[in-house]
């Protein structure tokens, strides 16, 4: 399939939007023929608290699939379809006991297609089980050279009600942000030079007049350098030992991670 997929991710630091992340995918048809019967979704195996007593459910009115544990103080996690596409929600008993597939032995192409294209709204039975789920946008077409945007919210909550409230907040935030194809098309990747570098990195493509946050991590994820500036596009790295590092760039609307080598 000749397609190009571009992803943007959005996170928010303040309530009520600090319990979800929005991910937006732009799918471009780079072939010379119309793509029909396209499905796009996200798979999650949350393993909340004791995975063997998890259950999966669906809130169709919110286009929301969720997972929780039967433990008294269980957290809830879920995926919500944000765009106007038709929803497919497929809950899976990982060992195959309550659904049409057993993915303990691998997730075959046929099983992935089944999970993307058919509904199975509940998993976990009465006593709970090791469960997973897929939330997808259902059966759309993309003309030659055309694009289709699909967006999801990845959510957490202290209860089902809290999760539903967070799902509603995510939908409101998505609608207010007006995340459109045009925004995706106008988004260029950041770049850094030189790479490898010895004393300083220069970042290319930063937006003007925005608050930018940078932090550098090693390969274990430990933060070694962190700074926030409105206008700078240079970061001193002279203090770092030689090795491989990751520069995390966070602006008001975007986030990107770039790998570099310190000599």
């Amino acid at each position: 399939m000749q397609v190009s997929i571009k992803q943007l991710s959005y996170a928010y630091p303040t309530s009520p939007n600090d319990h979800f992340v929005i991910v937006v995918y732009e799918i471009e048809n780079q072939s010379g023929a119309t793509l029909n019967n396209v499905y796009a979704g996200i798979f999650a195996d949350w393993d909340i608290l004791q995975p063997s007593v998890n259950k999966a459910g669906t809130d169709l009115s919110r286009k929301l699939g969720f997972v929780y544990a039967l433990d008294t103080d269980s957290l809830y996690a879920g995926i919500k379809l944000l765009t106007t596409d038709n929803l497919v929600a497929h809950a899976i008993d990982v060992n195959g006991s309550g659904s049409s597939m057993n993915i303990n032995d691998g997730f075959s192409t046929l099983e992935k297609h089944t999970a993307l294209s058919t509904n199975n709204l509940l998993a976990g039975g009465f006593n709970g089980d090791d469960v997973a789920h897929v939330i997808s946008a259902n059966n759309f077409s993309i003309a030659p050279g055309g694009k289709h945007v699909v967006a999801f919210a990845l959510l957490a909550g202290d209860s089902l009600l809290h999760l539903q409230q967070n799902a509603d907040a995510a939908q409101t935030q998505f609608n207010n942000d007006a995340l459109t194809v045009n925004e995706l098309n106008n988004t260029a990747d950041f770049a850094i030079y030189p790479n490898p570098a010895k004393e300083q990195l220069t970042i290319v493509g930063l937006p003007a007049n925005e608050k930018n946050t940078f932090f550098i991590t090693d390969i274990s994820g430990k933060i070694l350098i962190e700074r926030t500036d409105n206008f700078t596009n240079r970061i001193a790295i002279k203090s770092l030992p030689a090795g491989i590092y990751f520069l995390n760039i966070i602006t008001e609307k975007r986030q990107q991670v770039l790998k570099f080598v310190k000599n």
Side-chain angles (χ1 to χ4, degrees):
M1 182 181 293
Q2 293 177 291
V3 297
S4 171
I5 300 175
K6 185 182 294 184
Q7 176 185 326
L8 290 177
S9 300
Y10 296 78
Y12 307 88
T14 57
S15 180
N17 299 331
D18 54 349
H19 284 76
F20 60 80
V21 173
I22 291 175
V23 288
V24 184
Y25 299 96
E26 177 199 78
I27 307 167
E28 180 180 1
N29 179 4
Q30 297 183 333
S31 74
T34 298
L35 296 177
N36 295 310
N37 304 316
V38 180
Y39 299 83
I42 294 182
F43 167 91
D45 185 357
W46 298 101
D47 285 346
I48 298 174
L49 298 178
Q50 298 185 57
S52 62
V53 292
N54 280 195
K55 298 185 73 171
T58 308
D59 182 340
L60 289 174
S61 66
R62 288 182 169 86
K63 297 185 177 180
L64 168 67
F66 57 88
V67 172
Y68 63 100
L70 293 180
D71 304 74
T72 303
D73 297 321
S74 177
L75 301 175
Y76 280 68
I79 306 169
K80 172 178 168 55
L81 177 63
L82 294 168
T83 39
T84 58
D85 304 271
N86 293 324
L87 169 73
V88 172
H90 197 105
I92 303 168
D93 286 273
V94 172
N95 61 13
S97 61
S99 65
S100 59
M101 63 186 71
N102 177 356
I103 62 173
N104 267 333
D105 57 357
F107 203 5
S108 70
T109 299
L110 177 59
E111 288 170 333
K112 291 175 183 177
H113 182 267
T114 299
L116 284 166
S117 59
T118 63
N119 282 311
N120 188 54
L121 303 183
L122 300 171
F126 182 77
N127 295 315
D129 201 352
D130 186 5
V131 303
H133 67 156
V134 175
I135 297 297
S136 64
N138 174 18
N139 197 17
F140 53 88
S141 299
I142 311 176
K147 301 175 182 179
H148 189 89
V149 172
V150 179
F152 302 90
L154 309 180
L155 307 127
D158 297 323
S159 65
L160 179 56
L161 176 60
H162 189 214
L163 189 77
Q164 291 168 328
Q165 291 170 338
N166 294 334
D168 294 342
Q171 187 69 64
T172 298
Q173 185 65 44
F174 176 75
N175 294 342
N176 290 343
D177 279 352
L179 306 175
T180 64
V181 174
N182 288 333
E183 179 181 340
L184 285 162
N185 289 340
N186 292 331
T187 302
D189 289 337
F190 299 130
I192 53 176
Y193 73 89
N195 189 9
K198 188 173 183 180
E199 296 188 353
Q200 180 176 270
L201 288 174
T202 299
I203 306 169
V204 179
L206 286 175
N209 302 319
E210 284 190 14
K211 182 178 180 180
N212 304 313
T213 299
F214 315 103
F215 59 92
I216 293 174
T217 66
D218 60 18
I219 58 175
S220 72
K222 180 181 179 181
I223 297 176
L224 304 175
I225 296 175
E226 184 172 7
R227 60 184 294 180
T228 299
D229 286 292
N230 286 342
F231 303 107
T232 186
N233 66 337
R234 294 180 174 86
I235 301 177
I237 59 169
K238 188 175 181 179
S239 62
L240 295 175
I244 297 173
Y245 298 92
F246 298 91
L247 171 63
N248 295 259
I249 306 169
I250 304 172
T251 71
E252 292 178 6
K253 294 184 178 180
R254 296 185 53 207
Q255 179 173 348
Q256 188 172 342
V257 180
L258 298 172
K259 179 180 176 181
F260 71 93
V261 175
K262 166 64 165 49
N263 284 338

